[in-house]
Amino acid sequence: MKNRDLLIGCSVLAVGATLAFALSSCKTIPKGVVAVKPFDKEKYLGKWYEIARLDFRYEKNMNNTTAEYSVNEDGSIKVVNRGYNYVKNKEQEAIGKAKFVGSSDEAKLKVSFFGPFYAGYNVIAIDSDYKYALVAGKSLKYLWILSRKPTMPEKVKQAYLKKAESLGYDISQLVWVEHRK
């Protein structure tokens, strides 16, 4: 009887852990951070230059980083990230897809480069001409400052830094991307 109770207890724990993981993996935006709404997907499509980022393993040692967005046949957004790894001395590319978490007029998306695994991608600030964007991941460990050109006006950069810091991001950890031709 004890073995049966232990087996049931372990099964309940396993189901609970799986459910907790599933619920936590659904989180696509940090608490207190709000995605842009209304959002115009069509205006966002195209090429963006990464001005700064909170570094993580997939972009480590990368410069000349860009992201290009277009629409897939199924309506999802094709994401092509490119950059130059200056340690490996080679160009790198990752192709993925993004989907809106809710309505397409809210800039709250999830993106996948690795099969069924998705991460948060949330535009949390954008200018009216869609030239500059501040993008948050699912936690305060992920942040990007993007521009349609390899540079950004200081005024815009400072406004985005101030916003990010007010939301709890450690902006002292930002990596400032070099863009060389």
Side-chain angles (χ1 to χ4, degrees), residues 100-116:
F100 285 92
V101 172
S103 169
S104 65
D105 74 335
E106 182 179 21
K108 189 174 180 183
L109 299 99
K110 57 184 182 176
V111 65
S112 176
F113 292 94
F114 309 105

Side-chain angles (χ1 to χ4, degrees), residues 44-133:
Y44 196 77
L45 299 175
K47 186 173 185 175
W48 290 88
Y49 292 85
E50 191 176 84
I51 302 300
R53 68 174 176 268
L54 287 178
D55 218 9
F56 66 105
R57 72 180 191 190
Y58 296 111
E59 285 190 295
K60 192 157 189 68
N61 304 318
M62 301 277 281
N63 275 326
N64 294 328
T65 47
T66 62
E68 194 155 352
Y69 306 101
S70 59
V71 178
N72 287 317
E73 286 184 22
D74 67 359
S76 64
I77 298 172
K78 181 178 181 181
V79 181
V80 180
N81 288 346
R82 291 184 180 99
Y84 179 76
N85 186 314
Y86 53 82
V87 171
K88 295 180 179 178
N89 198 30
K90 69 176 189 175
E91 296 286 334
Q92 291 182 228
E93 179 179 273
I95 299 174
K97 68 178 176 179
K99 298 178 180 180
F100 285 92
V101 172
S103 169
S104 65
D105 74 335
E106 182 179 21
K108 189 174 180 183
L109 299 99
K110 57 184 182 176
V111 65
S112 176
F113 292 94
F114 309 105
F117 303 104
Y118 283 85
Y121 182 98
N122 309 283
V123 181
I124 61 172
I126 196 158
D127 68 301
S128 61
D129 294 326
Y130 282 62
K131 290 182 181 178
Y132 313 107

